[in-house]
């Protein structure tokens, strides 16, 4: 019976490698976002001569939005891989290794994720405010409500996390 238990536990432990293709998929998603970023830069440059200030600001906010999502993906990919799949031992001495690698736990990752979602939602809301003439009051109310839900959820999660660490 102990042999079966050990085999089962090894199977469960090794199942963590099923996450590796998921992280590879997120790397592919970053490539797609990079393509979208390049397309957005090209669009912004092509409109530069006759674009309004609001269109330029919205274009730049879109670039910032993509950059935040890509940064969030890097944090998720690297820290989740190290937390759930395998340590990146060969990279410990690498000069470009981010300081946070290996130090972000699951709880810290969730806080960063919620913070990034709030920032991305804020950028989307700012873009909507820049284009307020083309949106209905109902649409704007939903956007503000959703953003505030993210903000309140983030604050509540941070408070719960802080209380649990005491």
């Amino acid at each position: 019976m102990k042999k079966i238990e050990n085999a089962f536990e090894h199977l469960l432990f090794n199942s963590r490698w099923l996450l590796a293709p998921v992280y590879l998929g997120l790397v592919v998603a970053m490539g797609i976002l990079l393509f979208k970023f390049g397309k957005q830069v090209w669009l912004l440059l092509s409109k530069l001569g006759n674009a309004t200030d609001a269109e330029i600001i919205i274009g730049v906010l879109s670039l910032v939005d993509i950059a935040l999502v890509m940064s969030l993906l890097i944090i998720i990919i690297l820290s989740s891989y190290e937390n759930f799949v395998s340590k990146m031992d060969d990279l410990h001495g690498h000069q470009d290794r981010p300081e946070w690698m290996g130090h972000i736990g699951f709880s810290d990752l969730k806080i960063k994720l919620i913070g990034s979602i709030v920032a991305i939602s804020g950028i989307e809301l700012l873009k909507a405010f820049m284009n307020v003439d083309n949106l209905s009051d109902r649409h704007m109310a939903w956007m503000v409500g959703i953003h505030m839900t993210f903000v309140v959820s983030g604050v509540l999660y941070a408070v719960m996390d802080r209380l649990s660490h005491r």
Side-chain angles (χ1 to χ4, degrees):
M1 191 62 169
K2 188 66 176 166
K3 261 185 172 176
I4 294 172
E5 181 182 349
N6 286 342
F8 181 70
E9 288 170 356
H10 277 86
L11 174 69
L12 290 179
F13 183 71
N14 288 325
S15 71
R16 72 192 191 282
W17 284 99
L18 294 173
L19 284 170
V22 172
Y23 299 132
L24 187 59
L26 290 177
V27 172
V28 171
M30 286 181 57
I32 293 167
L33 285 171
L34 181 61
F35 178 77
K36 182 168 174 53
F37 186 88
K39 198 171 152 184
Q40 186 69 34
V41 167
W42 181 257
L43 183 67
L44 195 58
L45 286 172
S46 67
K47 288 184 176 180
L48 197 57
N50 55 6
T52 66
D53 289 348
E55 288 173 330
I56 292 172
I57 291 170
I58 289 172
V60 169
L61 286 173
S62 295
L63 295 176
V64 170
D65 199 15
I66 294 169
L68 281 173
V69 171
M70 289 181 76
S71 298
L72 176 62
L73 283 174
I74 283 290
I75 291 171
I76 290 170
I77 292 166
L78 295 178
S79 62
S80 295
Y81 181 85
E82 277 212 329
N83 279 319
F84 301 117
V85 180
S86 180
K87 300 292 179 207
M88 296 184 185
D89 295 328
D90 290 346
L91 300 176
H92 280 291
H94 197 281
Q95 65 185 14
D96 292 332
R97 180 182 164 99
E99 283 189 30
W100 52 262
M101 267 184 73
H103 302 293
I104 293 182
F106 188 59
S107 181
D108 299 325
L109 181 61
K110 288 191 286 186
I111 291 286
K112 289 188 181 308
L113 176 64
I114 291 171
S116 295
I117 289 170
V118 168
I120 291 165
S121 172
I123 288 172
E124 289 299 317
L125 189 58
L126 185 56
K127 285 171 30 180
F129 282 140
M130 296 293 295
N131 197 22
V132 74
D133 295 337
N134 299 330
L135 299 173
S136 69
D137 290 345
R138 183 171 187 222
H139 188 125
M140 289 300 296
W142 272 106
M143 288 188 77
V144 169
I146 291 168
H147 177 70
M148 291 309 300
T149 301
F150 288 147
V151 170
V152 170
S153 297
V155 169
L156 289 175
Y157 185 80
V159 167
M160 288 186 325
D161 188 58
R162 187 174 194 114
L163 290 175
S164 71
H165 279 25
R166 286 184 179 170

